Amino acid sequence: LGNNEIGPEGFKALAGALSSMPNLTTLAVRDNAIGPEGFKVLAVEVAVAMSGAWQWSNDFGPEGAKALVGALSSMPNLTSLNLGNNEIGPEGFKALAGALSSMPNLTTLAVRDNAIGPEGFKVLAVEVAVAMSGAWQWSNDFGPEGAKALVGALSSMPNLTSLNLGNNEIG
């Protein structure tokens, strides 16, 4: 469904049909400008047995991130989550951190281009680094402070095989 200009109203219309699909394991709705309202619908109604969710470039912001918190608890099979380029910011990422840290099957997390800054990145480094084998955190401006927070977390990530920290003003 990526790059179709679905928007929040179109996504609300799709939600009923998507929620009645128990075998849906992957949903990609990138570049659809679904915004916070459309993302709330996704978070509440569509999160079923998914193992992969690609929701980048939908501008759902901190409000959409907060809506996702409740849905994550009903997605125990989720292994891959891409929330890149959604303007989540540190506030939204802090809200997500607890839910993400309680997802033992989550192995790949991409939050690129969300301006999570050093505070949001500290939360990632301390709370979210669990069984991940891949982490894409580029263009979040976390700087040296965020990089220092990551140092301690890396020791608790024995399965990490891929880490992208580019364009973060580490210094």
Side-chain angles (χ1 to χ4, degrees):
L1 295 173
N3 204 20
N4 281 299
E5 300 179 22
I6 293 172
E9 292 306 312
F11 198 75
K12 287 177 189 177
L14 278 171
L18 292 172
S19 66
S20 65
M21 300 178 79
N23 297 318
L24 180 68
T25 59
T26 303
L27 179 63
V29 292
R30 66 174 177 80
D31 293 315
N32 275 300
I34 62 175
E37 292 305 311
F39 199 75
K40 282 181 186 176
V41 172
L42 168 72
V44 174
E45 296 185 31
V46 182
V48 283
M50 291 197 296
S51 60
W54 291 272
Q55 317 311 327
W56 69 89
S57 296
N58 278 300
D59 300 326
F60 58 74
E63 189 178 334
K66 289 174 185 174
L68 180 59
V69 169
L72 289 174
S73 64
S74 66
M75 299 171 73
N77 300 322
L78 193 68
T79 59
S80 179
L81 181 61
N82 186 330
L83 299 174
N85 200 22
N86 278 301
E87 301 177 17
I88 293 173
E91 177 189 345
F93 199 76
K94 286 177 186 177
L96 279 172
L100 292 172
S101 67
S102 65
M103 301 186 75
N105 295 319
L106 185 66
T107 57
T108 304
L109 176 65
V111 292
R112 68 176 178 82
D113 293 315
N114 272 299
I116 63 174
E119 293 305 310
F121 196 75
K122 282 182 187 175
V123 171
L124 169 72
V126 173
E127 295 187 34
V128 182
V130 282
M132 291 199 296
S133 59
W136 291 271
Q137 318 312 327
W138 68 88
S139 297
N140 276 302
D141 301 324
F142 59 74
E145 192 177 336
K148 288 176 187 173
L150 179 62
V151 170
L154 288 174
S155 63
S156 66
M157 299 173 74
N159 299 321
L160 192 67
T161 58
S162 179
L163 177 64
N164 187 328
L165 301 174
N167 202 22
N168 276 298
E169 301 179 17
I170 292 174

